[in-house]
PDB file of all heavy atoms in Angstrom:
ATOM      1  N   GLY A 306      -7.686  -1.185  -0.600  1.00  0.00           N
ATOM      2  CA  GLY A 306      -7.493  -0.295  -1.733  1.00  0.00           C
ATOM      3  C   GLY A 306      -7.692   1.161  -1.381  1.00  0.00           C
ATOM      4  O   GLY A 306      -7.795   1.532  -0.224  1.00  0.00           O
ATOM      5  N   PHE A 307      -7.769   1.988  -2.432  1.00  0.00           N
ATOM      6  CA  PHE A 307      -7.963   3.421  -2.254  1.00  0.00           C
ATOM      7  C   PHE A 307      -8.495   4.013  -3.551  1.00  0.00           C
ATOM      8  O   PHE A 307      -8.435   3.408  -4.606  1.00  0.00           O
ATOM      9  CB  PHE A 307      -6.662   4.123  -1.836  1.00  0.00           C
ATOM     10  CG  PHE A 307      -5.565   4.038  -2.867  1.00  0.00           C
ATOM     11  CD1 PHE A 307      -5.492   4.943  -3.919  1.00  0.00           C
ATOM     12  CD2 PHE A 307      -4.600   3.051  -2.774  1.00  0.00           C
ATOM     13  CE1 PHE A 307      -4.482   4.861  -4.868  1.00  0.00           C
ATOM     14  CE2 PHE A 307      -3.581   2.967  -3.712  1.00  0.00           C
ATOM     15  CZ  PHE A 307      -3.525   3.869  -4.761  1.00  0.00           C
ATOM     16  N   ASN A 308      -8.995   5.247  -3.445  1.00  0.00           N
ATOM     17  CA  ASN A 308      -9.418   6.067  -4.581  1.00  0.00           C
ATOM     18  C   ASN A 308      -8.937   7.484  -4.311  1.00  0.00           C
ATOM     19  O   ASN A 308      -9.029   7.958  -3.186  1.00  0.00           O
ATOM     20  CB  ASN A 308     -10.940   6.134  -4.715  1.00  0.00           C
ATOM     21  CG  ASN A 308     -11.562   4.809  -4.992  1.00  0.00           C
ATOM     22  OD1 ASN A 308     -11.249   4.186  -5.987  1.00  0.00           O
ATOM     23  ND2 ASN A 308     -12.444   4.371  -4.106  1.00  0.00           N
ATOM     24  N   TYR A 309      -8.428   8.156  -5.335  1.00  0.00           N
ATOM     25  CA  TYR A 309      -8.117   9.565  -5.179  1.00  0.00           C
ATOM     26  C   TYR A 309      -8.266  10.258  -6.530  1.00  0.00           C
ATOM     27  O   TYR A 309      -8.194   9.633  -7.580  1.00  0.00           O
ATOM     28  CB  TYR A 309      -6.712   9.803  -4.598  1.00  0.00           C
ATOM     29  CG  TYR A 309      -5.598   9.663  -5.611  1.00  0.00           C
ATOM     30  CD1 TYR A 309      -5.248  10.716  -6.451  1.00  0.00           C
ATOM     31  CD2 TYR A 309      -4.900   8.476  -5.736  1.00  0.00           C
ATOM     32  CE1 TYR A 309      -4.238  10.589  -7.384  1.00  0.00           C
ATOM     33  CE2 TYR A 309      -3.884   8.336  -6.670  1.00  0.00           C
ATOM     34  CZ  TYR A 309      -3.559   9.395  -7.486  1.00  0.00           C
ATOM     35  OH  TYR A 309      -2.568   9.261  -8.417  1.00  0.00           O
ATOM     36  N   ALA A 310      -8.455  11.554  -6.470  1.00  0.00           N
ATOM     37  CA  ALA A 310      -8.501  12.384  -7.676  1.00  0.00           C
ATOM     38  C   ALA A 310      -8.192  13.809  -7.270  1.00  0.00           C
ATOM     39  O   ALA A 310      -8.565  14.249  -6.184  1.00  0.00           O
ATOM     40  CB  ALA A 310      -9.871  12.316  -8.336  1.00  0.00           C
ATOM     41  N   TYR A 311      -7.474  14.519  -8.143  1.00  0.00           N
ATOM     42  CA  TYR A 311      -7.253  15.938  -7.904  1.00  0.00           C
ATOM     43  C   TYR A 311      -7.112  16.657  -9.232  1.00  0.00           C
ATOM     44  O   TYR A 311      -6.828  16.062 -10.263  1.00  0.00           O
ATOM     45  CB  TYR A 311      -6.037  16.200  -7.007  1.00  0.00           C
ATOM     46  CG  TYR A 311      -4.705  15.831  -7.617  1.00  0.00           C
ATOM     47  CD1 TYR A 311      -4.026  16.704  -8.467  1.00  0.00           C
ATOM     48  CD2 TYR A 311      -4.120  14.615  -7.330  1.00  0.00           C
ATOM     49  CE1 TYR A 311      -2.809  16.370  -9.022  1.00  0.00           C
ATOM     50  CE2 TYR A 311      -2.893  14.269  -7.866  1.00  0.00           C
ATOM     51  CZ  TYR A 311      -2.240  15.145  -8.710  1.00  0.00           C
ATOM     52  OH  TYR A 311      -1.038  14.800  -9.257  1.00  0.00           O
ATOM     53  N   GLU A 312      -7.327  17.962  -9.171  1.00  0.00           N
ATOM     54  CA  GLU A 312      -7.192  18.820 -10.346  1.00  0.00           C
ATOM     55  C   GLU A 312      -6.719  20.184  -9.856  1.00  0.00           C
ATOM     56  O   GLU A 312      -7.203  20.680  -8.838  1.00  0.00           O
ATOM     57  CB  GLU A 312      -8.546  18.948 -11.036  1.00  0.00           C
ATOM     58  CG  GLU A 312      -8.542  19.776 -12.273  1.00  0.00           C
ATOM     59  CD  GLU A 312      -9.917  19.833 -12.922  1.00  0.00           C
ATOM     60  OE1 GLU A 312     -10.817  19.085 -12.532  1.00  0.00           O
ATOM     61  OE2 GLU A 312     -10.072  20.669 -13.826  1.00  0.00           O
ATOM     62  N   THR A 313      -5.771  20.767 -10.580  1.00  0.00           N
ATOM     63  CA  THR A 313      -5.264  22.074 -10.196  1.00  0.00           C
ATOM     64  C   THR A 313      -5.593  23.111 -11.268  1.00  0.00           C
ATOM     65  O   THR A 313      -5.908  22.768 -12.408  1.00  0.00           O
ATOM     66  CB  THR A 313      -3.736  22.033  -9.969  1.00  0.00           C
ATOM     67  OG1 THR A 313      -3.098  21.684 -11.203  1.00  0.00           O
ATOM     68  CG2 THR A 313      -3.367  21.039  -8.883  1.00  0.00           C
ATOM     69  N   SER A 314      -5.480  24.365 -10.893  1.00  0.00           N
ATOM     70  CA  SER A 314      -5.849  25.440 -11.815  1.00  0.00           C
ATOM     71  C   SER A 314      -4.893  25.581 -12.990  1.00  0.00           C
ATOM     72  O   SER A 314      -5.229  26.212 -13.989  1.00  0.00           O
ATOM     73  CB  SER A 314      -5.914  26.770 -11.053  1.00  0.00           C
ATOM     74  OG  SER A 314      -4.652  27.083 -10.501  1.00  0.00           O
ATOM     75  N   ASN A 315      -3.708  24.977 -12.919  1.00  0.00           N
ATOM     76  CA  ASN A 315      -2.761  25.054 -14.035  1.00  0.00           C
ATOM     77  C   ASN A 315      -2.843  23.831 -14.949  1.00  0.00           C
ATOM     78  O   ASN A 315      -1.946  23.589 -15.743  1.00  0.00           O
ATOM     79  CB  ASN A 315      -1.339  25.271 -13.528  1.00  0.00           C
ATOM     80  CG  ASN A 315      -0.865  24.153 -12.634  1.00  0.00           C
ATOM     81  OD1 ASN A 315      -1.639  23.313 -12.220  1.00  0.00           O
ATOM     82  ND2 ASN A 315       0.412  24.162 -12.309  1.00  0.00           N
ATOM     83  N   GLY A 316      -3.931  23.069 -14.839  1.00  0.00           N
ATOM     84  CA  GLY A 316      -4.178  21.990 -15.786  1.00  0.00           C
ATOM     85  C   GLY A 316      -3.640  20.629 -15.415  1.00  0.00           C
ATOM     86  O   GLY A 316      -3.739  19.698 -16.207  1.00  0.00           O
ATOM     87  N   ILE A 317      -3.071  20.477 -14.240  1.00  0.00           N
ATOM     88  CA  ILE A 317      -2.601  19.164 -13.804  1.00  0.00           C
ATOM     89  C   ILE A 317      -3.767  18.419 -13.177  1.00  0.00           C
ATOM     90  O   ILE A 317      -4.528  18.978 -12.392  1.00  0.00           O
ATOM     91  CB  ILE A 317      -1.459  19.302 -12.780  1.00  0.00           C
ATOM     92  CG1 ILE A 317      -0.261  20.003 -13.419  1.00  0.00           C
ATOM     93  CG2 ILE A 317      -1.065  17.943 -12.222  1.00  0.00           C
ATOM     94  CD1 ILE A 317       0.821  20.368 -12.437  1.00  0.00           C
ATOM     95  N   SER A 318      -3.914  17.144 -13.556  1.00  0.00           N
ATOM     96  CA  SER A 318      -4.953  16.322 -12.940  1.00  0.00           C
ATOM     97  C   SER A 318      -4.444  14.894 -12.823  1.00  0.00           C
ATOM     98  O   SER A 318      -3.565  14.458 -13.569  1.00  0.00           O
ATOM     99  CB  SER A 318      -6.244  16.357 -13.763  1.00  0.00           C
ATOM    100  OG  SER A 318      -6.025  15.780 -15.034  1.00  0.00           O
ATOM    101  N   SER A 319      -5.014  14.193 -11.873  1.00  0.00           N
ATOM    102  CA  SER A 319      -4.650  12.800 -11.660  1.00  0.00           C
ATOM    103  C   SER A 319      -5.792  12.111 -10.945  1.00  0.00           C
ATOM    104  O   SER A 319      -6.505  12.733 -10.157  1.00  0.00           O
ATOM    105  CB  SER A 319      -3.374  12.706 -10.819  1.00  0.00           C
ATOM    106  OG  SER A 319      -3.006  11.367 -10.627  1.00  0.00           O
ATOM    107  N   GLN A 320      -5.951  10.841 -11.230  1.00  0.00           N
ATOM    108  CA  GLN A 320      -6.941  10.040 -10.514  1.00  0.00           C
ATOM    109  C   GLN A 320      -6.499   8.592 -10.564  1.00  0.00           C
ATOM    110  O   GLN A 320      -5.830   8.173 -11.510  1.00  0.00           O
ATOM    111  CB  GLN A 320      -8.346  10.213 -11.098  1.00  0.00           C
ATOM    112  CG  GLN A 320      -8.529   9.766 -12.522  1.00  0.00           C
ATOM    113  CD  GLN A 320      -8.846   8.267 -12.636  1.00  0.00           C
ATOM    114  OE1 GLN A 320      -9.356   7.651 -11.717  1.00  0.00           O
ATOM    115  NE2 GLN A 320      -8.514   7.688 -13.773  1.00  0.00           N
ATOM    116  N   ALA A 321      -6.835   7.848  -9.527  1.00  0.00           N
ATOM    117  CA  ALA A 321      -6.479   6.432  -9.490  1.00  0.00           C
ATOM    118  C   ALA A 321      -7.406   5.695  -8.536  1.00  0.00           C
ATOM    119  O   ALA A 321      -7.945   6.281  -7.597  1.00  0.00           O
ATOM    120  CB  ALA A 321      -5.036   6.239  -9.047  1.00  0.00           C
ATOM    121  N   GLN A 322      -7.581   4.416  -8.821  1.00  0.00           N
ATOM    122  CA  GLN A 322      -8.329   3.520  -7.957  1.00  0.00           C
ATOM    123  C   GLN A 322      -7.478   2.274  -7.763  1.00  0.00           C
ATOM    124  O   GLN A 322      -6.855   1.799  -8.713  1.00  0.00           O
ATOM    125  CB  GLN A 322      -9.657   3.071  -8.567  1.00  0.00           C
ATOM    126  CG  GLN A 322     -10.586   4.176  -9.003  1.00  0.00           C
ATOM    127  CD  GLN A 322     -10.264   4.693 -10.384  1.00  0.00           C
ATOM    128  OE1 GLN A 322      -9.881   3.958 -11.270  1.00  0.00           O
ATOM    129  NE2 GLN A 322     -10.385   5.988 -10.563  1.00  0.00           N
ATOM    130  N   ALA A 323      -7.469   1.765  -6.551  1.00  0.00           N
ATOM    131  CA  ALA A 323      -6.715   0.545  -6.267  1.00  0.00           C
ATOM    132  C   ALA A 323      -7.648  -0.470  -5.636  1.00  0.00           C
ATOM    133  O   ALA A 323      -8.550  -0.115  -4.880  1.00  0.00           O
ATOM    134  CB  ALA A 323      -5.556   0.834  -5.331  1.00  0.00           C
ATOM    135  N   GLN A 324      -7.395  -1.724  -5.967  1.00  0.00           N
ATOM    136  CA  GLN A 324      -8.205  -2.814  -5.436  1.00  0.00           C
ATOM    137  C   GLN A 324      -7.292  -3.994  -5.150  1.00  0.00           C
ATOM    138  O   GLN A 324      -6.410  -4.323  -5.953  1.00  0.00           O
ATOM    139  CB  GLN A 324      -9.282  -3.207  -6.442  1.00  0.00           C
ATOM    140  CG  GLN A 324     -10.180  -4.312  -5.980  1.00  0.00           C
ATOM    141  CD  GLN A 324     -11.260  -4.607  -7.013  1.00  0.00           C
ATOM    142  OE1 GLN A 324     -11.207  -4.140  -8.142  1.00  0.00           O
ATOM    143  NE2 GLN A 324     -12.223  -5.388  -6.625  1.00  0.00           N
ATOM    144  N   LEU A 325      -7.513  -4.640  -4.022  1.00  0.00           N
ATOM    145  CA  LEU A 325      -6.742  -5.815  -3.667  1.00  0.00           C
ATOM    146  C   LEU A 325      -7.272  -7.012  -4.444  1.00  0.00           C
ATOM    147  O   LEU A 325      -8.463  -7.286  -4.432  1.00  0.00           O
ATOM    148  CB  LEU A 325      -6.839  -6.079  -2.167  1.00  0.00           C
ATOM    149  CG  LEU A 325      -6.001  -7.228  -1.620  1.00  0.00           C
ATOM    150  CD1 LEU A 325      -4.522  -6.953  -1.843  1.00  0.00           C
ATOM    151  CD2 LEU A 325      -6.292  -7.439  -0.144  1.00  0.00           C
TER     152      LEU A 325
END
Side-chain angles (χ1 to χ4, degrees):
F307 63 85
N308 297 300
Y309 79 83
Y311 67 84
E312 181 179 349
T313 63
S314 61
N315 60 349
I317 298 171
S318 64
S319 181
Q320 63 86 25
Q322 305 84 36
Q324 181 178 12
L325 184 62

